[in-house]
Amino acid sequence: MIEVKDLKKGFGGKPVINGVSAVFENGKCNLIIGSSGSGKTVLMKCLVGLFEPDSGEISYSGQNFTAMNEEERKILRRQIGMLFQGSALFDSMTVEQNIMFPLDMFTNDSFATKLKRVNEVLERVNMKDVNKKFPAEISGGMKKRVGIGRAIVLNPKYLFCDEPNSGLDPLTSILIDKLIKEITLEYNITTVVNTHDMNSVMETGDHIIYMYQGLKEWEGSNKEIIFSKNKKLNDFIFASEFLQDAKDMRMLEMRGKIDNDRNMDELLK
């Protein structure tokens, strides 16, 4: 679990994060959404220590991250996996070498032990037998899966994903969402995803925070978001007629399900 208390961060005297408090729970896909300039990216960078907050507190499973020295943070970072927006693979390294990189940095394991772990991870992200390929030889979706593999190779407790579907076609995006969701549940990871992809929000958003002008404007789940009466949130999500129609259909579908569940409860009484 990651807990944020009254976090503030600004640049040049201008506040970007203005008193945000939140809890990101284990075994859930915690999504941060919002338009450009809302503060969602700055919030994530504060969470992983790329930016130092001006005030407030970030705790990892009760450990005060903001109060740690660099050596203590280095130990904690071994428990953190990161999937970057552009995958950030090393072009000069093979898939195998890219995934092995964190093991080389943080462990003293033998090559055989590290290779065994790499192969386990490759099989888990459905990339078996591509060890010797280079990033230039695989597709964008495959690069994302290699990036996920590298992020989880050290068995992290925390996984951060920055725009994981950026640059991907809709079908591949769905596969990446499904993989992140499965890994989160399988390993009981605290997953935090920075995204603007509404399909990701609806399919994987166990816990969603909507940022607006540096504030936490709304908080809830993917089951609650379509019923929200928050105008700013609705303007952000349902910006097109297509999405508004989708919202109306989803609401009718969910209301029908609720009615069916109620009828079933009555029959069982």
Side-chain angles (χ1 to χ4, degrees):
M1 182 178 74
I2 304 171
E3 188 172 3
V4 179
K5 296 179 181 178
D6 197 25
L7 200 71
K8 295 181 181 179
K9 177 64 180 176
F11 299 95
K14 181 181 178 182
V16 178
I17 301 292
N18 198 4
V20 170
S21 296
V23 175
F24 303 100
E25 297 181 23
N26 297 359
K28 290 187 177 182
C29 286
N30 301 274
L31 273 56
I32 305 172
I33 65 173
S35 58
S36 298
S38 63
K40 65 182 188 297
T41 301
V42 173
L43 175 58
M44 177 174 277
K45 287 184 176 181
C46 286
L47 291 176
V48 297
L50 294 176
F51 288 155
E52 289 295 327
D54 297 329
S55 63
E57 184 179 312
I58 300 167
S59 296
Y60 281 77
S61 301
Q63 302 176 78
N64 188 343
F65 181 68
T66 42
M68 288 181 181
N69 59 38
E70 192 55 40
E71 189 60 33
E72 291 169 330
R73 287 190 178 191
K74 185 177 180 180
I75 295 170
L76 179 62
R77 284 193 178 107
R78 293 185 61 173
Q79 303 175 36
I80 296 174
M82 185 80 192
L83 174 63
F84 298 94
Q85 183 172 337
S87 299
L89 302 181
F90 298 106
D91 293 335
S92 60
M93 292 184 178
T94 63
V95 166
E96 178 182 293
Q97 291 168 333
N98 266 282
I99 294 182
M100 195 178 289
F101 185 75
L103 297 172
D104 291 335
M105 283 190 67
F106 293 109
T107 76
N108 295 315
D109 294 341
S110 67
F111 179 80
T113 300
K114 289 186 288 188
L115 182 59
K116 181 175 182 291
R117 176 58 183 158
V118 168
N119 287 329
E120 289 171 353
V121 166
L122 281 171
E123 186 167 359
R124 181 61 192 84
V125 298
N126 302 314
M127 291 285 287
K128 191 177 179 181
D129 300 326
V130 297
N131 298 52
K132 302 307 179 183
K133 289 186 178 293
F134 286 89
E137 299 176 297
I138 59 178
S139 67
M142 293 171 78
K143 289 177 184 176
K144 291 285 185 178
R145 281 188 275 161
V146 173
I148 293 171
R150 184 175 62 184
I152 66 170
V153 73
L154 287 171
N155 290 311
K157 293 182 179 179
Y158 315 96
L159 176 63
F160 291 89
C161 305
D162 184 21
E163 299 286 2
N165 294 330
S166 177
L168 301 180
D169 63 81
L171 181 58
T172 305
S173 295
I174 291 171
L175 294 175
I176 294 300
D177 283 340
K178 183 180 178 183
L179 180 58
I180 292 172
K181 179 80 170 181
E182 287 174 352
I183 287 170
T184 298
L185 292 172
E186 186 175 334
Y187 300 111
N188 196 35
I189 297 173
T190 302
T191 298
V192 181
V193 182
N194 180 0
T195 186
H196 64 269
D197 188 300
M198 287 304 107
N199 186 72
S200 298
V201 171
M202 299 310 298
E203 295 300 324
T204 68
D206 300 315
H207 174 227
I208 303 163
I209 289 176
Y210 169 59
M211 297 287 296
Y212 181 79
Q213 295 185 354
L215 298 170
K216 184 178 73 176
E217 179 69 25
W218 183 89
E219 186 173 14
S221 70
N222 55 356
K223 294 180 176 62
E224 298 166 332
I225 197 167
I226 60 170
F227 298 108
S228 167
K229 293 183 170 51
N230 186 298
K231 185 178 185 306
K232 295 184 182 72
L233 175 63
N234 288 337
D235 288 345
F236 170 72
I237 296 175
F238 306 111
S240 70
E241 290 185 10
F242 172 79
L243 287 173
Q244 184 60 52
D245 291 342
K247 173 190 177 184
D248 294 340
M249 291 178 66
R250 185 68 179 265
M251 289 181 74
L252 287 172
E253 177 187 337
M254 291 187 72
R255 283 172 179 164
K257 184 179 184 305
I258 290 169
D259 289 341
N260 288 337
D261 289 345
R262 285 173 178 167
N263 291 337
M264 184 61 71
D265 288 342
E266 289 296 323
L267 288 171
L268 294 173
K269 283 182 179 178

